[in-house]
Amino acid sequence: MDVPIANDDINNELVATISYIGYREDDQYILDKDCMFTMKDLIRFLRRDDDSQLVRRQLGKSMILKNDLIPIIKLHWKDTELLSLTIRLMVNLTQPAIVCFNGKIPQKDQSQSRYWLEIEKYLHAYKQAFNDADLWTILAQQLGNALQIPVDDRDDDNLLLMERLLLLLRNVLHVPQDDNQENVSDSDASLHDQLLWQMHSSGINDFLIYIASSPDETMWTLHIMEMVSLMLRDKSGDVLARTEEALTEKESESRRLKTTRKMAEAARRKNEYNLSGRHSRFGGSFWVKDMKGISENNLVYHRQLSGAKKMSFDCNKNTPRVPKRKLPAVEHVKLRESPLSIRLSLKGFCDQFLNFCYNSLMNNVRDKLMHNKSQQNDETYYFKMIKFFMEFNRHKTFQIALISETLSMSIFHFACQNIYNFYDGLICNKEESISWARRLHYTVCAYKELLLNVAAMEQVEDRCLNENAKIMKSNILYMPEFREIPVMLLTKYDPTKQTKSYLRDLIALTHIYVKMMDKECSKNGHLLVKEKKRARKKKSKKNSAVKQLTNEWKSLSENISHTLSNFKDLEISTPVLDSLPISELPNAAKEEIRSCLRENRYSEAIATLRICRNKLSDETDDFGKTDANAEDELLCLKNIYIQKEPVENNAHSDSSSEEENFALQAGTEKKFNLSNFLKKLINAKILRHYVDLLATYNENDDSVNHYIVKWFYRVAHDHHMHAMLYQLRLFLIFNKILNEPPVDRFKELVTFINYLLSRFFETAKSNPVVYIETLFWKHPVTCHEITEGYGSLSKEKEQQKSKGIWSEDEESKLIELYHKHENSDDIIGDILKDFIEFSEKTRAQIRRKLITSGTVTDRDCLRKRKRSKPKHQNEFDEVYPEKSEVEDQTDKEDDAEIDTEELRSIMNDVISTVNKEVIDAVIQCLQLAITERNQGANDEINLESIITANEDIFKSAVTQEFFYFIGFSNRFDEDDITWYISSNFSINKLKSLKSIITQELNEILLVNNPTFTEYENNTAVSDPKAVTMDNYSSSDEEIEVNGNARKRDASNDSDNEEITMKRKKKSKQLLDSDDDD
């Protein structure tokens, strides 16, 4: 029912105006003498239309386009001026409804929503009216005539006519499909398909390809891109690429019919199996065994016996009303399969477009997008074109040369940038969230297609293409921005704003990207990636400078106060200040006052203050008010003295701080851990999205169902989190799948269901509460407790903490034993021998307890002291005794004297409480220092400039103790501590220290993991800046040192047994030890 026009006067005036255009008589259209003036009036009315779109709605109700404008074009197309004016009016009438409402879909205002729906209805009527072969022939003729004119000879009228023709075609194609009016199946031609056939028959498609390929027509590239994108909006690239001739198409159709028939036959056989030989139409009532009713008796069933298995208590319940804001998002585009003739015509058009103009068109469009020469949201059409044509080319012939313009790293970065931009728009603009979600969907589809093309390039038997694919894939996996896309989008998926088709594409994108990572990691053994690091801002030196100036002011304030009390106005000349303009005077005066105060010229400073106060009383109050007393003047002098330095001096510091911040944000390289990356995706929120999509398994493609099953298998098998999939909603979906007829498309699903259910029933034997757990979504920690026992994690943590807890008796006994062995060479070793209860404690825990309790103030006294061995002199020493003493001193300095047992204990604490990466980083820093010493440099090596993967490791007490023990130096900057390798470390000492740490690390890892191979340490370092957490080296000399050290440990058979027993005893201590922090 049409909405009545509110203003009858305007309605009557519009109807009268329309009547002056002309009238139709038989097959002719008779123009009125004032026809052109009437059209100009209508154009002016539309331009001045109000928010209710009164004029537009009345013109649509009058069907002016079908009854007047189209007949004028068909019968009076030779009148150039009338034709141009008619096309101008048609462009205005057919513009999208969203343009009429300032780019926003009215939702809150009901009247505006009614106007929107009414205009949409008239647009569908306009599109129906354009289904006219004669009209399209005339439009194609006019477009061809305009193109025949050389570019340099075209005047403004020709350019306007050409632009209006393209806009008219774009507007007609933009009208969305109305499913309520077009009740057609996939095999029938919709209204949009009929228009595409009219364009093909009239030759407009050829004109579009010519405009897109011509270098002289680049001004129309954006229009062509929109038109082609709208032509193919409900088409799929793979379907068009697989379209064959009529005979082949008939064979494929027969195969689909056979598959459908097999499914129906399987369903029929299953129903026959369920039916018994006897009829099931017995009347009466039945008892339902083991199901209580309202009373204590069994439930009474009053229906036919055949439906007893499907008995449900929900059949008579009212479905709860879902609020409008929680309704699922509606699909904006539904893909459909057009008739064979339409598909063949579109396939030919896509072939020509790819061969002649795709690369040039996309190059011109991207240039305009990058230089802001396009309209808002033109990126959406750009990504739609990428998705369709790259998919079409991949399924047809896969010729990289045809799509080379959009298959490069710059396009990947452009897509990644727009994904983040559209995601931010979706989060921030709640009123336009649907539009932003749609743009994000198109960009994700394009990004997914780019990944598929890179994967396809690796399968081609072309070495050049394989190398290019390898380079692109390494860059995609290397950059953290690309790795964060699946995690970010899956975590923030909102079904009320984003559609199911978007979720399907997103899950496909995640599967493809994870598969790339898995393949690369399994192929190369490891993958080096760039990882973002938190920008650690340097503490500003302003605060420390202010403190220093405040302390200086305390010493100056007494003299200044005395000068102020005895000060008399003096005639002091300030020629420098007198020559300055008023705008520059305040800064110059403040600098002059500061210099006077520093040079103890207090009288001149006070006089300058008063002179500036008189001159600048109206400009600023920095120099005090006119009636200021001595206390106010003292306060003004203090503020000026403590104030920051002038802007000129700060310019350099600001720029340097910006450079420091930029360097800090540069990220670091690190070995990629696929398991840790997948753990970010294994949570209940993301898993719920997979379950929601599996609920529509009948509507999903076989590939989407495969992606879901593959992810479930990763969660259950690879990460041992079967319990996370123990969810009632998922089991209900499994039940529906198992009740489906046995067909091949669900075979993989059924296999996984049987696997998961078998694990579920195994868990139920040991944990019957798992049936209750199916009601809840679970955290990974909960999954561990479901399978291993409730409280298992807390018990492990308590056991670990109990090892580091000291009772009062133990503490008093420790202090007593310390005083007993205070003069021993190995205090901690003797304490462990005397008190067996301390055997579970490590040397580091005992040392830390003695220090924290205040018993020991110097930790150096707790180190194991080596006994001096008698020195054997030779003839050379007797001849050159001084030189021998120098060599002895050099050897003593070069060798790193470290208690290996205590070092191993500290390293074990670091590994168990912090991370092994701390020791890796120390070895890396030592190797960097060795490299710099070899190059002649003797600078300090700052650990913070290298260890950037995790800044929290410096705050750990265990880490700082390890740094201190191996001899690293530190300095304090306010509340921060900086560790560095001193320049006093010789190269031999660095090599010795690195060799000892590496050897001890190998032994610790070998104890913890018997299958562990020795720590590899043979990567060369060429550039100190290129050194990363997992990339360090050692020279052949160091390897020889390690080998010799191991040989010395096993030099004779008599010592081997003793050493082995010591290692076993120490290994037990290492396995049972933990930090009391």
Side-chain angles (χ1 to χ4, degrees):
M1 181 177 180
D2 294 334
V3 180
I5 302 297
N7 197 327
D8 294 335
D9 295 337
I10 298 178
N11 182 19
N12 296 333
E13 184 178 352
L14 286 172
V15 173
T17 304
I18 293 172
S19 63
Y20 279 96
I21 296 178
Y23 60 93
R24 189 162 188 158
E25 185 174 339
D26 297 333
D27 294 337
Q28 298 295 323
Y29 189 86
I30 309 302
L31 296 174
D32 193 273
K33 60 179 180 179
D34 296 328
C35 175
M36 297 185 64
F37 295 104
T38 303
M39 287 189 181
K40 291 179 181 179
D41 290 339
L42 291 176
I43 293 172
R44 185 167 60 254
F45 292 162
L46 287 171
R47 187 167 60 248
R48 299 177 180 178
D49 205 355
D50 58 1
D51 294 337
S52 64
Q53 306 297 324
L54 180 62
V55 177
R56 188 175 302 276
R57 289 188 289 120
Q58 178 57 39
L59 293 179
K61 185 178 180 181
S62 303
M63 295 300 295
I64 182 176
L65 188 139
K66 180 179 180 181
N67 298 333
D68 299 294
L69 301 183
I70 291 180
I72 290 176
I73 292 180
K74 292 170 62 178
L75 300 173
H76 301 278
W77 58 271
K78 293 183 180 180
D79 190 344
T80 307
E81 185 177 359
L82 179 62
L83 177 66
S84 178
L85 197 61
T86 305
I87 292 176
R88 180 183 175 187
L89 180 57
M90 293 174 71
V91 169
N92 200 328
L93 285 173
T94 57
Q95 70 180 11
I98 195 170
V99 178
C100 304
F101 291 88
N102 299 324
K104 296 181 180 179
I105 301 175
Q107 296 177 349
K108 297 181 180 180
D109 192 346
Q110 294 184 359
S111 59
Q112 291 288 326
S113 299
R114 289 199 305 270
Y115 300 152
W116 169 280
L117 295 175
E118 187 177 357
I119 292 176
E120 284 281 339
K121 183 185 69 172
Y122 296 143
L123 287 174
H124 284 103
Y126 296 157
K127 189 172 184 178
Q128 183 68 43
F130 263 83
N131 189 14
D132 191 331
D134 296 336
L135 175 62
W136 285 98
T137 302
I138 294 172
L139 294 177
Q141 182 181 357
Q142 296 298 322
L143 184 60
N145 294 337
L147 289 172
Q148 288 180 357
I149 303 175
V151 178
D152 298 334
D153 297 339
R154 295 174 189 170
D155 55 9
D156 294 340
D157 294 336
N158 294 328
L159 293 175
L160 283 174
L161 177 62
M162 190 172 177
E163 182 178 9
R164 287 167 182 165
L165 285 171
L166 294 176
L167 288 176
L168 179 62
L169 300 179
R170 193 276 310 269
N171 290 346
V172 173
L173 293 172
H174 190 277
V175 177
Q177 180 178 347
D178 189 358
D179 296 331
N180 296 326
Q181 295 181 3
E182 303 179 34
N183 296 322
V184 295
S185 60
D186 287 345
S187 59
D188 295 334
S190 63
L191 179 58
H192 190 73
D193 293 335
Q194 296 174 24
L195 292 183
L196 294 179
W197 181 256
Q198 297 292 352
M199 294 177 64
H200 169 71
S201 302
S202 61
I204 287 184
N205 290 350
D206 298 332
F207 290 133
L208 296 181
I209 292 176
Y210 170 76
I211 296 173
S213 61
S214 176
D216 299 329
E217 308 291 347
T218 55
M219 66 179 73
W220 315 115
T221 51
L222 292 176
H223 295 78
I224 301 300
M225 180 187 66
E226 290 185 51
M227 293 176 61
V228 175
S229 177
L230 292 171
M231 288 170 60
L232 305 169
R233 65 182 176 191
D234 59 347
K235 306 296 183 292
S236 176
D238 59 340
V239 173
L240 284 184
R242 290 195 296 264
T243 301
E244 302 294 343
E245 298 300 328
L247 182 60
T248 309
E249 193 71 20
K250 187 176 295 185
E251 293 177 355
S252 61
E253 186 68 24
S254 63
R255 286 195 297 268
R256 286 197 294 268
L257 289 175
K258 288 181 181 179
T259 304
T260 307
R261 183 179 177 182
K262 287 181 180 179
M263 293 178 63
E265 186 68 21
R268 185 183 63 80
R269 286 197 303 268
K270 185 175 181 180
N271 292 332
E272 290 178 354
Y273 177 79
N274 292 332
L275 293 175
S276 62
R278 299 175 59 188
H279 66 84
S280 58
R281 295 186 295 277
F282 287 112
S285 301
F286 304 91
W287 296 101
V288 181
K289 189 177 180 181
D290 297 333
M291 183 177 291
K292 298 295 182 182
I294 298 176
S295 63
E296 294 297 329
N297 299 325
N298 289 336
L299 182 67
V300 180
Y301 186 69
H302 296 282
R303 299 185 182 181
Q304 293 183 3
L305 191 60
S306 60
K309 292 184 179 180
K310 299 180 181 180
M311 182 181 60
S312 173
F313 297 101
D314 299 332
C315 56
N316 295 326
K317 293 180 180 179
N318 295 327
T319 305
R321 179 181 174 273
V322 181
K324 186 177 180 181
R325 59 185 177 84
K326 292 185 178 181
L327 290 174
V330 181
E331 298 286 347
H332 47 274
V333 174
K334 295 181 180 179
L335 298 179
R336 61 184 306 275
E337 189 172 346
S338 302
L340 179 60
S341 58
I342 304 295
R343 281 184 282 138
L344 288 174
S345 65
L346 288 177
K347 181 180 179 182
F349 172 78
C350 294
D351 280 335
Q352 294 182 7
F353 193 87
L354 273 176
N355 290 322
F356 298 116
C357 55
Y358 176 79
N359 285 332
S360 59
L361 176 73
M362 301 301 282
N363 184 20
N364 293 329
V365 169
R366 184 165 179 268
D367 181 70
K368 292 184 178 182
L369 292 175
M370 299 299 293
H371 294 87
N372 296 326
K373 297 179 181 179
S374 59
Q375 295 181 353
Q376 188 179 8
N377 303 323
D378 278 342
E379 298 91 346
T380 304
Y381 295 104
Y382 180 76
F383 289 119
K384 288 170 68 176
M385 294 280 287
I386 289 178
K387 189 262 179 185
F388 181 87
F389 282 100
M390 294 188 73
E391 183 181 22
F392 178 84
N393 178 70
R394 180 167 57 87
H395 285 90
K396 191 175 183 299
T397 56
F398 193 59
Q399 300 181 28
I400 299 297
L402 300 180
I403 56 169
S404 59
E405 180 60 35
T406 54
L407 190 58
S408 61
M409 281 309 303
S410 59
I411 303 299
F412 272 102
H413 285 292
F414 185 63
C416 177
Q417 178 185 3
N418 280 273
I419 285 176
Y420 283 99
N421 293 340
F422 294 154
Y423 170 77
D424 293 339
L426 174 64
I427 298 299
C428 300
N429 301 328
K430 294 184 178 180
E431 295 182 355
E432 302 179 8
S433 58
I434 296 177
S435 300
W436 286 105
R438 188 177 303 176
R439 296 166 195 156
L440 179 62
H441 184 189
Y442 290 134
T443 313
V444 167
C445 290
Y447 180 59
K448 181 192 74 173
E449 191 57 40
L450 288 170
L451 292 177
L452 287 172
N453 275 265
V454 172
M457 286 174 63
E458 292 184 314
Q459 307 300 326
V460 178
E461 296 181 358
D462 190 335
R463 183 177 179 182
C464 181
L465 291 180
N466 295 339
E467 290 296 327
N468 290 334
K470 183 178 179 180
I471 293 172
M472 283 192 286
K473 187 172 71 171
S474 61
N475 288 329
I476 296 166
L477 302 180
Y478 179 79
M479 299 300 294
E481 293 80 8
F482 294 107
R483 296 196 304 274
E484 292 174 358
I485 287 177
V487 181
M488 176 187 70
L489 296 183
L490 279 173
T491 305
K492 297 298 182 180
Y493 171 75
D494 187 357
T496 62
K497 300 175 183 177
Q498 296 164 306
T499 60
K500 279 289 181 66
S501 60
Y502 165 79
L503 182 60
R504 293 187 183 98
D505 291 324
L506 181 56
I507 288 178
L509 166 65
T510 305
H511 174 82
I512 297 165
Y513 194 79
V514 171
K515 188 176 180 181
M516 277 188 176
M517 286 182 168
D518 196 0
K519 184 178 179 181
E520 193 68 19
C521 292
S522 60
K523 180 179 178 181
N524 299 329
H526 69 277
L527 180 63
L528 192 65
V529 298
K530 184 178 180 181
E531 191 170 272
K532 281 185 178 180
K533 64 171 183 174
R534 185 178 56 201
R536 185 173 183 178
K537 295 182 179 179
K538 295 291 184 180
K539 292 190 176 181
S540 175
K541 297 182 180 180
K542 177 183 175 181
N543 296 331
S544 58
V546 170
K547 291 181 180 179
Q548 182 180 359
L549 293 174
T550 303
N551 296 331
E552 293 178 2
W553 175 259
K554 292 179 181 178
S555 60
L556 298 176
S557 58
E558 296 181 0
N559 298 330
I560 296 174
S561 299
H562 184 268
T563 305
L564 279 170
S565 60
N566 300 326
F567 183 77
K568 296 181 180 179
D569 292 337
L570 302 176
E571 295 183 359
I572 298 177
S573 61
T574 54
V576 178
L577 300 179
D578 294 339
S579 61
L580 292 176
I582 296 297
S583 60
E584 301 178 3
L585 183 59
N587 292 332
K590 291 177 183 179
E591 183 62 28
E592 180 66 21
I593 292 172
R594 291 191 197 98
S595 61
C596 291
L597 293 176
R598 293 192 192 100
E599 297 172 3
N600 300 329
R601 293 182 288 135
Y602 307 129
S603 300
E604 296 181 14
I606 297 170
T608 305
L609 176 71
R610 294 179 178 178
I611 291 172
C612 293
R613 183 170 61 210
N614 296 332
K615 288 184 178 182
L616 303 173
S617 59
D618 298 333
E619 300 291 335
T620 180
D621 294 336
D622 293 346
F623 302 96
K625 298 181 179 179
T626 55
D627 56 347
N629 53 22
E631 294 180 358
D632 296 336
E633 289 180 339
L634 182 64
L635 183 61
C636 291
L637 290 173
K638 178 182 178 181
N639 294 334
I640 293 173
Y641 185 76
I642 298 177
Q643 195 176 10
K644 64 180 181 179
E645 295 298 324
V647 180
E648 290 81 0
N649 296 336
N650 281 336
H652 177 71
S653 62
D654 292 342
S655 62
S656 62
S657 63
E658 290 178 0
E659 291 177 0
E660 289 178 0
N661 290 337
F662 177 79
L664 288 171
Q665 296 172 359
T668 57
E669 287 185 346
K670 189 177 180 181
K671 279 186 179 179
F672 179 71
N673 191 327
L674 181 61
S675 178
N676 292 340
F677 174 78
L678 294 179
K679 286 179 182 178
K680 299 178 182 179
L681 294 168
I682 300 176
N683 58 67
K685 190 173 183 180
I686 294 178
L687 186 64
R688 188 177 301 180
H689 302 328
Y690 277 82
V691 174
D692 291 341
L693 189 59
L694 184 63
T696 59
Y697 61 92
N698 273 323
E699 303 174 7
N700 299 338
D701 293 337
D702 294 344
S703 59
V704 175
N705 290 333
H706 167 72
Y707 301 154
I708 297 173
V709 172
K710 182 63 177 177
W711 178 248
F712 286 167
Y713 186 77
R714 285 185 183 274
V715 174
H717 182 269
D718 298 349
H719 290 268
H720 310 288
M721 292 188 184
H722 309 85
M724 185 170 282
L725 299 177
Y726 298 164
Q727 221 287 325
L728 185 59
R729 183 155 189 263
L730 183 60
F731 285 176
L732 291 175
I733 298 172
F734 287 169
N735 185 39
K736 291 181 181 179
I737 296 174
L738 293 175
N739 289 328
E740 292 284 345
V743 292
D744 293 338
R745 60 174 305 205
F746 298 142
K747 186 176 180 180
E748 186 179 18
L749 280 169
V750 173
T751 303
F752 175 77
I753 291 171
N754 294 331
Y755 163 75
L756 183 65
L757 291 179
S758 63
R759 298 302 302 265
F760 173 76
F761 292 119
E762 288 179 6
T763 307
K765 293 178 182 178
S766 59
N767 183 15
V769 189
V770 72
Y771 293 102
I772 308 300
E773 293 285 358
T774 58
L775 300 174
F776 309 100
W777 297 98
K778 289 164 281 295
H779 190 269
V781 176
T782 310
C783 298
H784 181 271
E785 292 190 339
I786 289 173
T787 55
E788 302 298 331
Y790 294 101
S792 56
L793 285 178
S794 59
K795 290 180 181 178
E796 292 177 4
K797 291 181 180 180
E798 289 178 359
Q799 291 176 0
Q800 293 176 358
K801 290 182 179 179
S802 63
K803 295 178 181 179
I805 297 176
W806 293 78
S807 63
E808 294 182 359
D809 296 339
E810 290 177 342
E811 186 174 353
S812 60
K813 185 67 176 178
L814 176 64
I815 296 173
E816 180 184 349
L817 291 175
Y818 168 73
H819 290 299
K820 178 181 178 181
H821 302 286
E822 187 173 1
N823 298 324
S824 174
D825 293 336
D826 186 8
I827 298 175
I828 298 178
D830 293 339
I831 291 174
L832 289 172
K833 292 178 182 178
D834 283 4
F835 199 54
I836 303 176
E837 294 182 4
F838 288 167
S839 59
E840 295 182 357
K841 308 290 184 182
T842 63
R843 297 178 66 94
Q845 290 174 343
I846 294 175
R847 180 177 60 256
R848 194 176 300 113
K849 190 61 183 178
L850 289 172
I851 294 173
T852 55
S853 63
T855 307
V856 177
T857 56
D858 185 11
R859 68 172 64 200
D860 291 339
C861 67
L862 297 175
R863 293 186 177 182
K864 184 178 180 181
R865 293 187 290 272
K866 293 184 178 181
R867 297 178 181 178
S868 58
K869 296 181 180 180
K871 188 174 180 181
H872 301 283
Q873 294 184 351
N874 51 27
E875 298 178 357
F876 184 83
D877 295 337
E878 295 177 357
V879 178
Y880 302 101
E882 297 179 357
K883 189 170 184 180
S884 176
E885 292 178 2
V886 172
E887 289 180 355
D888 293 342
Q889 184 68 21
T890 304
D891 294 338
K892 184 178 181 181
E893 292 178 356
D894 288 349
D895 293 335
E897 297 182 0
I898 292 180
D899 186 355
T900 56
E901 292 186 4
E902 190 170 358
L903 174 64
R904 189 185 306 175
S905 175
I906 296 175
M907 289 173 61
N908 188 73
D909 289 346
V910 171
I911 293 174
S912 60
T913 58
V914 185
N915 200 328
K916 175 181 169 290
E917 292 182 355
V918 176
I919 303 175
D920 295 343
V922 169
I923 299 174
Q924 164 203 341
C925 295
L926 291 172
Q927 179 56 40
L928 180 60
I930 294 170
T931 304
E932 291 193 355
R933 297 294 192 275
N934 289 330
Q935 294 176 355
N938 195 26
D939 299 332
E940 296 178 353
I941 305 298
N942 191 351
L943 271 67
E944 287 193 47
S945 63
I946 300 173
I947 309 175
T948 55
N950 187 357
E951 299 170 357
D952 294 336
I953 63 174
F954 293 101
K955 301 179 182 179
S956 173
V958 180
T959 305
Q960 294 186 11
E961 183 179 5
F962 176 56
F963 291 163
Y964 183 85
F965 183 81
I966 61 179
F968 285 3
S969 303
N970 61 69
R971 64 171 66 93
F972 291 90
D973 183 9
E974 296 184 0
D975 298 333
D976 198 5
I977 183 172
T978 302
W979 291 91
Y980 62 93
I981 300 177
S982 175
S983 58
N984 297 329
F985 273 52
S986 65
I987 187 171
N988 292 333
K989 187 174 183 179
L990 290 171
K991 290 181 178 180
S992 176
L993 180 61
K994 179 172 175 287
S995 174
I996 294 172
I997 294 174
T998 305
Q999 182 180 354
E1000 295 299 327
L1001 179 61
N1002 286 333
E1003 293 184 1
I1004 292 174
L1005 296 179
L1006 186 60
V1007 170
N1008 295 334
N1009 185 8
T1011 61
F1012 170 76
T1013 56
E1014 286 197 357
Y1015 196 70
E1016 295 182 359
N1017 200 13
N1018 53 5
T1019 306
V1021 177
S1022 58
D1023 186 4
K1025 296 182 180 179
V1027 180
T1028 61
M1029 183 73 73
D1030 299 302
N1031 186 16
Y1032 50 84
S1033 65
S1034 66
S1035 61
D1036 296 336
E1037 297 177 2
E1038 299 159 32
I1039 299 174
E1040 185 177 357
V1041 170
N1042 294 340
N1044 293 335
R1046 288 190 291 270
K1047 290 177 181 178
R1048 285 196 299 270
D1049 289 339
S1051 57
N1052 53 71
D1053 296 337
S1054 61
D1055 295 338
N1056 282 345
E1057 184 177 357
E1058 181 180 357
I1059 293 173
T1060 304
M1061 295 298 296
K1062 286 183 178 180
R1063 287 188 177 181
K1064 287 183 178 180
K1065 181 180 180 182
K1066 192 61 183 177
S1067 299
K1068 183 178 182 304
Q1069 295 179 4
L1070 290 172
L1071 290 172
D1072 297 336
S1073 64
D1074 197 354
D1075 197 355
D1076 60 352
D1077 292 340

